[in-house]
Amino acid sequence: MGKYGKIGKRIRNSVGVFAIALTAVFGIPGENVLRNGALQDTWITAYAAEDMLGYKNPEKIVIAMPNSSKYSTTASKISILGACDYRYPLTMNGEELTTTEHGFFTAYVTLSMGENEFFFQNGENEYRLIVTRKKSSGSSSGGGSTSSKYKEVTNKMGELTLPYTMPLSAPGTVNIDYLPLTQNTTFSIVGEWGSYYKLPDGTYVPKSAVKVYPYKLPANRVYSEAMEYNESTHTLETTFSMKIDALYDVQADGNTVKFVLYDTVADGDVFVPDNPLVESVSAKTDGKGRAIYTYRLKNGNQLCGFDVFTENGTMTFTMKYVPILETKGSLKGAVILLDAGHGGTDSGTVGAMGGAGPTEKNVNLDLTLRTKAALEKLGATVIMVRGDDTFYTLNERVELIRKTKPDLSISIHGNAMGITSDYSKSSGFLTYYSYNGLQDAAGVINASVCKTMGYSERAIRKANLSLTRLTACPAVLLETAFLTHPEDYEALLKASNREKLAGAIADAAKEYLESVAVYTQKEQKYTVKKGDTLSSIAKKYGVTVDAIVKANKIKNKNLIRTGSVLVIPVK
């Protein structure tokens, strides 16, 4: 997150009167400056008023990481993270450590074999940390499911029992180029490898996610199809009736989307009702026994997501249309889902205060509520996964997104590093995504937030995360800062920073949504003011000068009259 600027300042005392004045003005107890009536050469910190989320000076030494005063590891180096009474210097084994203004600190230490003692002093407070470095076994079993040999399987079928399952290219790999499969998806089991089953499309799923039937997959065919456009969610929904919920794939390429059903015979072409997204649908059964439904889009740039739902022999394939907004400059008409990471019994990353102070779940919720307010001020409808300190599972969060079908999903988190990393080296803002092929939500939001906040922009990161690997709508996960970095943590606790960041996230969401939206209002009116030019007016509304000229039948681009009313076309 970088430097956020100093709130307070360190003051060196040279006269007792000045020390007493500090006590009166800043509320710092006199004994912190004067010891036994004698003037001390003491450093104290004076703070301007600042709302620090749930923070209270601990007046003691807090070691957040390691989370035990007697800790064992095989690592040669670890980070120590903690907080102290900000009124006094902090030393470790006699050497002063750098602390933030509120007393947060980290130290990256080298460990010798056996016991390593780290003795902290902070005013009259002391803390002794013992870290024991043990020998590493130097070997790994390595085996597990991936060491087993592959074998073919016949006359077995499987049904997925989990709400969302990620197929793998091979056992033990992490590959998010494949689409997640929904519950009840049924398929022939063609092979097994350790604790994984192989599917007809060549991918693997964990055996723990599959209910196995000891017989061959029955013949399957689509009996009927029904397509309907849902005005409330702006989704085109095709429901296929068949005997089993088949293994499927979705292939989007330009103005064509293919919905592929394995081991299934296709029915006839689908009747297409009036809708803004799809022009026509054709159906065929290919030489591999797959039913392929090909959707011809009116404009491939207006597809913003898709999903598959199963229920007792019906499969519903949904396609998400772009946001429909009322007017340029407002998010009225947009639906945005906000997910505040963690909650309840799940605190997330603890930060420098450990359990004695605000944890990730507290920061996430406060920041998300502020983002909600900022988005609603812009006109958006906001759906919250949680608005209080309640725990929801990842599956529950994903299912809410799939059910509500928003125009955008934003999950807000804080970042952290493992204890063997140097905490002082990892800070800043990161944007994660899984699928960014249809619309560049991750790229637009990342660039916009970084520009507004003055952060160094990092490349967006593709990752296999529960809250981004769904395909129902554009979904991003924002790691707002590293709670394991003392300055990042302190910055996130400051209300002014959270308020600014919430506004930046809201503005970034607006920038993305406006880049892909269509509008119900086809034109706006603008009264020309003194000093206006066609180019300045066009820039204000995000349209071209030629579009304004055409809409108003202007003959001379360089001449517009103050007070005249122009029609501003909206895309």
Side-chain angles (χ1 to χ4, degrees):
M1 190 75 65
K3 305 291 183 184
Y4 286 79
K6 297 292 185 183
I7 286 184
K9 56 184 178 180
R10 291 198 181 273
I11 303 172
R12 194 177 182 98
N13 304 301
S14 56
V15 294
V17 173
F18 186 53
I20 294 171
L22 281 173
T23 301
V25 174
F26 294 102
I28 301 173
E31 63 268 20
N32 295 332
V33 179
L34 300 174
R35 290 278 176 82
N36 301 320
L39 182 66
Q40 301 292 313
D41 187 23
T42 305
W43 287 84
I44 65 171
T45 305
Y47 291 100
E50 173 73 31
D51 176 14
M52 292 282 288
L53 178 69
Y55 168 80
K56 182 180 179 181
N57 184 14
E59 299 185 2
K60 64 179 182 180
I61 300 169
V62 175
I63 302 297
M65 293 295 289
N67 57 9
S68 171
S69 61
K70 293 184 178 181
Y71 180 76
S72 295
T73 181
T74 59
S76 60
K77 291 184 177 182
I78 65 166
S79 278
I80 299 172
L81 177 69
C84 66
D85 189 329
Y86 63 74
R87 298 171 297 181
Y88 303 101
L90 173 71
T91 63
M92 180 181 76
N93 294 345
E95 302 235 354
E96 186 168 355
L97 295 180
T98 299
T99 64
T100 67
E101 289 175 305
H102 288 80
F104 307 145
F105 67 91
T106 187
Y108 194 48
V109 297
T110 300
L111 304 176
S112 302
M113 297 302 298
E115 282 194 359
N116 296 262
E117 182 177 277
F118 300 96
F119 180 64
F120 296 87
Q121 286 185 297
N122 174 226
E124 296 180 351
N125 299 310
E126 298 178 350
Y127 188 97
R128 196 176 304 274
L129 171 65
I130 304 296
V131 179
T132 302
R133 181 183 171 192
K134 298 179 178 180
K135 285 186 177 182
S136 172
S137 64
S139 64
S140 173
S141 61
S145 62
T146 58
S147 65
S148 304
K149 291 183 178 180
Y150 173 79
K151 61 180 180 181
E152 292 185 359
V153 173
T154 57
N155 298 324
K156 275 188 182 181
M157 59 179 281
E159 179 183 4
L160 292 178
T161 58
L162 300 180
Y164 232 32
T165 299
M166 289 299 297
L168 308 173
S169 58
T173 63
V174 176
N175 189 323
I176 52 176
D177 291 329
Y178 298 115
L179 300 178
L181 296 173
T182 194
Q183 193 169 9
N184 302 324
T185 299
T186 305
F187 46 83
S188 294
I189 298 174
V190 300
E192 62 179 303
W193 191 351
S195 58
Y196 294 86
Y197 286 127
K198 187 176 182 180
L199 311 187
D201 62 358
T203 63
Y204 292 81
V205 293
K207 288 182 177 179
S208 59
V210 180
K211 181 178 180 180
V212 178
Y213 298 91
Y215 45 80
K216 187 177 180 180
L217 186 74
N220 193 42
R221 70 175 301 118
V222 177
Y223 297 121
S224 64
E225 310 93 343
M227 184 181 290
E228 180 181 5
Y229 183 68
N230 189 321
E231 295 280 357
S232 63
T233 58
H234 310 312
T235 53
L236 186 64
E237 303 170 356
T238 310
T239 299
F240 299 86
S241 297
M242 62 193 84
K243 190 171 184 178
I244 62 173
D245 301 320
L247 177 65
Y248 61 89
D249 189 19
V250 180
Q251 302 164 3
D253 183 16
N255 286 344
T256 300
V257 176
K258 292 183 179 181
F259 182 50
V260 181
L261 298 168
Y262 284 78
D263 298 310
T264 302
V265 176
D267 190 30
D269 293 349
V270 182
F271 170 74
V272 180
D274 183 38
N275 76 91
L277 190 57
V278 171
E279 194 172 82
S280 63
V281 181
S282 61
K284 72 173 185 178
T285 306
D286 71 1
K288 297 180 180 180
R290 302 178 303 179
I292 300 178
Y293 288 81
T294 301
Y295 292 73
R296 181 69 59 181
L297 305 183
K298 296 177 180 179
N299 183 347
N301 291 328
Q302 293 181 338
L303 176 64
C304 274
F306 52 81
D307 206 350
V308 179
F309 298 88
T310 61
E311 185 179 4
N312 300 324
T314 62
M315 298 185 71
T316 301
F317 175 48
T318 68
M319 303 173 70
K320 177 75 176 174
Y321 188 50
V322 291
I324 301 177
L325 306 181
E326 288 192 8
T327 61
K328 193 79 174 178
S330 169
L331 287 184
K332 191 171 183 180
V335 178
I336 301 170
L337 183 139
L338 295 179
D339 167 51
H342 306 283
T345 56
D346 178 11
S347 63
T349 297
V350 295
M353 291 284 288
T359 61
E360 184 191 350
K361 70 172 183 177
N362 308 122
V363 177
N364 292 344
L365 179 59
D366 180 274
L367 179 56
T368 304
L369 288 170
R370 291 173 186 268
T371 304
K372 175 180 184 287
L375 284 167
E376 288 177 337
K377 191 174 180 179
L378 293 172
T381 297
V382 179
I383 299 169
M384 296 281 286
V385 171
R386 67 180 183 100
D388 56 22
D389 189 22
T390 302
F391 173 74
Y392 293 95
T393 66
L394 292 175
N395 281 338
E396 288 172 330
R397 295 168 196 252
V398 168
E399 285 307 303
L400 180 62
I401 298 171
R402 297 181 68 198
K403 179 180 178 181
T404 56
K405 304 177 181 69
D407 296 305
L408 176 64
S409 171
I410 301 175
S411 188
I412 294 176
H413 281 251
N415 217 336
M417 296 297 291
I419 195 170
T420 57
S421 299
D422 184 349
Y423 289 161
S424 69
K425 302 296 185 185
S426 297
S427 65
F429 177 86
L430 291 170
T431 300
Y432 286 89
Y433 74 100
S434 294
Y435 308 106
N436 212 34
L438 298 179
Q439 305 291 348
D440 187 23
V444 172
I445 290 172
N446 182 64
S448 179
V449 170
C450 290
K451 181 178 179 181
T452 301
M453 297 299 293
Y455 298 157
S456 296
E457 185 177 341
R458 294 176 175 175
I460 56 177
R461 300 193 179 187
K462 189 171 185 176
N464 184 25
L465 303 174
S466 295
L467 272 299
T468 59
R469 67 190 183 202
L470 49 87
T471 59
C473 67
V476 297
L477 185 145
L478 307 180
E479 296 280 13
T480 56
F482 282 78
L483 275 73
T484 47
H485 189 280
E487 288 188 6
D488 270 22
Y489 179 63
E490 182 167 279
L492 274 180
L493 297 191
K494 295 177 182 178
S496 57
N497 290 330
R498 294 195 307 281
E499 187 69 15
K500 183 178 180 182
L501 181 54
I505 294 170
D507 288 342
K510 179 174 180 288
E511 183 176 336
Y512 159 69
L513 291 169
E514 287 186 335
S515 73
V516 297
V518 297
Y519 294 86
T520 54
Q521 182 175 313
K522 298 303 179 186
E523 60 184 36
Q524 299 179 73
K525 301 291 181 66
Y526 178 76
T527 302
V528 178
K529 299 180 178 62
K530 186 176 181 180
D532 279 339
T533 64
L534 281 181
S535 61
S536 67
I537 297 170
K539 184 177 181 181
K540 175 182 175 67
Y541 286 95
V543 298
T544 65
V545 170
D546 288 342
I548 297 178
V549 168
K550 183 177 179 181
N552 294 273
K553 299 179 181 178
I554 296 174
K555 295 181 179 179
N556 186 347
K557 294 182 182 181
N558 299 313
L559 179 63
I560 54 173
R561 299 182 185 280
T562 301
S564 62
V565 179
L566 297 178
V567 172
I568 309 297
V570 179
K571 72 174 183 177

